[in-house]
Amino acid sequence: QVQLVESGGGLVQAGGSLRLSCAASERTFSPYNMGWFRQAPGKEREFVAAIRGSASITAYANSVKGRFTISRDNAKKAVYLQMNSLKPEDTAVYYCAAGTQSSTYEYDYWGQGTQVTVSS
């Protein structure tokens, strides 16, 4: 069982930046693919970004491409989401996810989420 704890959310003005962090409990972290998802009020959860295990191949939703960057530090068992040029429509609860499935969009473990609010 992998436990994930997100941090770094908060309130920011449009155009600002935030960096989300996700710490994993799993001792062997590097094989896990990691993803970030978000869920806005009244909407379904949506994919934001993903990074593969050792190869560090990344993928992004079109809505965040060029503004968000996902990265990982396997030694620290952590994954990060650098969010720049934030927009009010980025407001959501952001979730970290971990898994070993081949799909970029399917994960086995989820964190509790961290709130990101972007004011206009």
Side-chain angles (χ1 to χ4, degrees), residues 6-117:
E6 302 97 335
S7 61
L11 173 64
V12 64
Q13 289 188 332
S17 298
L18 281 176
R19 188 192 193 211
L20 304 184
S21 299
C22 173
S25 64
E26 179 63 28
R27 183 174 299 178
T28 53
F29 176 73
S30 61
Y32 284 88
N33 303 319
M34 302 297 296
W36 286 98
F37 289 73
R38 66 187 182 187
Q39 187 167 20
K43 295 187 177 181
E44 293 187 353
R45 186 170 60 192
E46 64 174 359
F47 169 78
V48 175
I51 186 165
R52 306 294 282 184
S54 302
S56 293
I57 297 170
T58 59
Y60 296 92
N62 287 335
S63 59
V64 307
K65 201 171 292 183
R67 300 188 298 122
F68 291 11
T69 303
I70 189 171
S71 61
R72 65 189 295 158
D73 185 332
N74 288 336
K76 294 183 178 180
K77 298 183 292 183
V79 64
Y80 308 99
L81 186 68
Q82 177 66 44
M83 305 186 296
N84 299 328
S85 302
L86 283 162
K87 305 175 181 180
E89 50 264 42
D90 294 318
T91 295
V93 177
Y94 283 71
Y95 297 92
C96 174
T100 57
Q101 302 184 55
S102 58
S103 171
T104 299
Y105 309 106
E106 296 181 4
Y107 295 85
D108 306 303
Y109 306 102
W110 295 84
Q112 294 298 307
T114 185
Q115 176 71 48
V116 171
T117 303

